[in-house]
Amino acid sequence: MSLSIPTPHINAKAGDFAKTVLMPGDPLRAKYIAETYLDDLKQVNSVRNVLGFTGNYKGTPVSVMASGMGMPSISIYSYELFEGYGVENIIRVGTAGGLNKDLNIGDVVVGMGACTNSAIIKESGFKGFAPIADYELLNTLCEIAKKRGVKFSVGNLFSTDIFYGDPNFAEKWSSVGVLAVEMEAAALYLNAAKLGKKALAICTVSDNLVTGEASTAEQRQTSFNEMMILALETAKKL
Ligand code: HPA
C-alpha cells in the first residue's frame, strides 16, 4: 500500500476497514445501512462527516462509508480506501436517473460499464479507457438477484459531472442503450483498474428522465433496502 494512514480524508486506524466496502453517496445512508444490517458496529471515519462504519453481516466483516457526490469525491475516497487501508472490493450502492423507458422507479440497475463526460479518464492519462465493473462482483451479485427473484437490468451507466445539464441528454444517451445516469461509477471503475482492485456500481432508479416518473420517499427506501441486501449478500461471498 503506497499511502500512509491516516489518509488526508479518513482518520481510521490500520485494520479498521473490512476487505469489502459498500459506498452510498450520503453519509446518513451509510449510518442507516450500518445500523440496520451490521452487528458489532464500530464507527471508523468521521472526517468531514463522511461517516464510515465496520461491522459484521451474518458473520462476515463488511464496511460501509459514504462516497459523497460526484467523481472527484468518490475518486478521493476509493483511492484512500484501496491504497491506504488495503480494501479489495468497493460496491457503490446509489441512485440513478433512468434513461430507458422500461425502467420503473425502484428497479435495480447493475453498471457493467460506465460512459462519462468527466475529464477524469483523460487527465489520468488514459484517454479512451472504457471503465467497466469487475466481472466476479457483477456475476456474483446477478446470481444472488436471480435467486432472490429481484428484477434487475445489467448494462451501461452514464457517469456525469453535470446534474443540471442538457435537456436532450436523456434522448441522446438512451438511443445507444445507456440505462441510467449517475455521478460516480466511472471514476470508481478507473481507480479499481489502476490499482488492481475490484469495483461494482449498482443503483436503484430514483427518477426516469425519459418517462418523467419520480419516486416517493417510501419507494426510495423500499428499493434501497432490496439493493442493500444484494450488495451485502455479495460481500458475504467474496
Ligand atoms: N442525474 C445524475 N445523477 C442522478 C440522477 C440524474 O438525473 N438521478 C439520480 N442520480
Side-chain angles (χ1 to χ4, degrees), residues 80-237:
E80 293 185 13
L81 288 172
F82 285 144
E83 280 296 274
Y85 291 95
V87 167
E88 292 298 326
N89 313 299
I90 294 181
I91 305 176
R92 160 166 156 72
V93 284
T95 57
L99 297 176
N100 180 304
K101 66 175 177 24
D102 297 327
L103 283 173
N104 296 315
I105 302 305
D107 283 358
V108 174
V109 176
V110 181
M112 185 158 64
C115 314
T116 187
N117 55 12
S118 167
I120 206 158
I121 305 285
K122 159 164 83 71
E123 294 300 327
S124 300
F126 297 98
K127 185 169 179 235
F129 175 76
I132 55 167
D134 175 77
Y135 183 73
E136 184 198 350
L137 296 195
L138 178 104
N139 190 44
T140 303
L141 186 129
C142 291
E143 289 300 320
I144 291 165
K146 274 187 234 164
K147 277 208 191 96
R148 298 182 66 85
V150 176
K151 182 177 171 229
F152 65 98
S153 304
V154 182
N156 238 338
L157 297 171
F158 190 100
S159 300
T160 185
D161 271 346
I162 312 164
F163 187 89
Y164 297 105
D166 175 5
N168 300 316
F169 173 88
E171 203 183 326
K172 179 174 165 187
W173 287 95
S174 67
S175 79
V176 287
V178 175
L179 294 176
V181 55
E182 52 82 75
M183 304 186 76
E184 290 83 15
L188 174 62
Y189 290 177
L190 174 68
N191 268 356
K194 276 166 50 181
L195 301 170
K197 306 281 183 163
K198 298 182 176 186
L200 175 66
I202 58 171
C203 295
T204 55
V205 174
S206 58
D207 51 317
N208 191 310
L209 277 60
V210 177
T211 63
E213 201 187 353
S215 57
T216 62
E218 193 188 333
Q219 274 172 324
R220 273 200 297 274
Q221 198 57 52
T222 309
S223 52
F224 188 79
N225 285 341
E226 208 162 75
M227 172 174 67
M228 282 318 309
I229 303 277
L230 297 182
L232 287 162
E233 289 291 329
T234 301
K236 198 154 73 71
K237 286 192 184 291

Side-chain angles (χ1 to χ4, degrees), residues 13-32:
K13 294 191 288 299
D16 271 354
F17 282 96
K19 72 173 179 177
T20 303
V21 180
L22 272 41
M23 298 197 94
D26 175 359
L28 292 182
R29 271 276 155 86
K31 188 165 186 275
Y32 169 84

